[in-house]
Amino acid sequence: MRPLIIISRAIDRLNEFIGHSVSWLLLVAVLVSAGNAVSRKLFALSSNAMLELQWYLYGAVFMLAAAYALLKNEHIRIDILSSSWSKRTRDWIDLVLHTIFLIPFAGMMVYLCWPWFWRSFITGEHSTNAGGLILWPAKSFILIGFALLLLQAFSEIIKRAAVLSGHLNEDKTLYTEAGNAAHMMTEDMPHD
C-alpha cells in the first residue's frame, strides 16, 4: 500500500500546483474582459479573438481546476444526507462511487477527447468567427482537465482505501474542516 500512497501524494501535489496556478488565469480573464469592454465602449473596437480568449481562459480554469476541487472536496454532494453519515460511511460511499462512476466517466472522456483534440491540432482548426482563434488549445484544456480528474479520482480511491484498511492515519480536525481524505494523511506512514 505504501507505493500507492506515495503515488497518491504525487498526484495530489500535481493537482494542488495546477489548481493554484490556474487561479491566476481568472485575473487574466477579468483583465481581458475589462480591456475588451473598454475598447468596445471608448474606441468602438471589438475583437472576436479577445472574446474567444476570454472564453478559453474561463474554460481553462473550470476544466483544469476540476481535479483540484475533488482534491479539496469542494465538489457537489448532497450534504443533507452525507452530513448525517459517519466518516467511515462517507469514505466507503466515496470509494464505491468514485470507482463505479467517476473513474469510468473520466476515463471515457479522456478516451473520447483525445481524437477530437488531436484532429483539431493536426489540422490547425480555427474558429469560424472572423478573426477567431485556433481551437486546439481550448480542446486541450478539456482533455487535460479530464485526465487530471481521472488521476485525482485514483488518488482519492487510494487514500480512502488506505484509511479504511488502516494503512493511513487520519487527522480528524483537518478532515472535518476540509472534508477530504487528502488532508487526513499524516507525515508518519506506517511501514508495510
Side-chain angles (χ1 to χ4, degrees):
M1 183 59 84
R2 184 176 173 81
L4 291 175
I5 294 171
I6 291 169
I7 291 169
S8 173
R9 285 184 175 174
I11 292 168
D12 290 350
R13 281 192 300 273
L14 171 68
N15 282 319
E16 183 93 27
F17 173 76
I18 291 172
H20 284 256
S21 299
V22 300
S23 66
W24 286 100
L25 291 179
L26 283 175
L27 175 61
V28 175
V30 168
L31 293 174
V32 168
S33 178
N36 200 27
V38 168
S39 71
R40 191 173 56 248
K41 296 294 182 191
L42 293 181
F43 308 110
L45 296 174
S46 185
S47 167
N48 283 336
M50 294 306 282
L51 284 172
E52 289 183 9
L53 177 60
Q54 186 179 320
W55 300 336
Y56 283 21
L57 291 169
Y58 284 123
V61 169
F62 180 81
M63 289 306 302
L64 298 178
Y68 179 72
L70 181 61
L71 170 68
K72 296 298 182 181
N73 204 27
E74 295 294 330
H75 56 287
I76 296 172
R77 66 175 64 231
I78 303 172
D79 288 332
I80 197 164
L81 295 176
S82 65
S83 63
S84 65
W85 298 330
S86 70
K87 188 201 71 57
R88 186 166 179 83
T89 301
R90 287 191 312 261
D91 284 343
W92 270 109
I93 289 172
D94 284 346
L95 177 68
V96 170
L97 295 181
H98 286 6
T99 303
I100 64 173
F101 289 115
L102 184 56
I103 294 287
F105 172 72
M108 179 184 68
M109 292 306 295
V110 169
Y111 175 77
L112 294 173
C113 285
W114 172 253
W116 179 65
F117 155 75
W118 186 246
R119 192 171 28 258
S120 181
F121 178 75
I122 61 172
T123 62
E125 181 182 12
H126 275 74
S127 167
T128 56
N129 295 321
L133 301 175
I134 55 175
L135 291 176
W136 69 261
K139 291 182 177 184
S140 74
F141 296 142
I142 297 169
L143 173 63
I144 294 167
F146 278 113
L148 291 170
L149 185 61
L150 181 62
L151 285 174
Q152 192 60 45
F154 281 119
S155 176
E156 296 302 312
I157 288 170
I158 291 166
K159 289 180 289 195
R160 283 181 174 76
V163 167
L164 289 168
S165 66
H167 286 90
L168 192 61
N169 297 325
E170 60 183 294
D171 180 339
K172 290 182 179 161
T173 304
L174 289 174
Y175 183 80
T176 56
E177 289 173 6
N180 187 319
H183 298 289
M184 297 185 300
M185 297 189 299
T186 61
E187 292 304 314
D188 302 88
M189 291 189 332
H191 297 284
D192 291 326

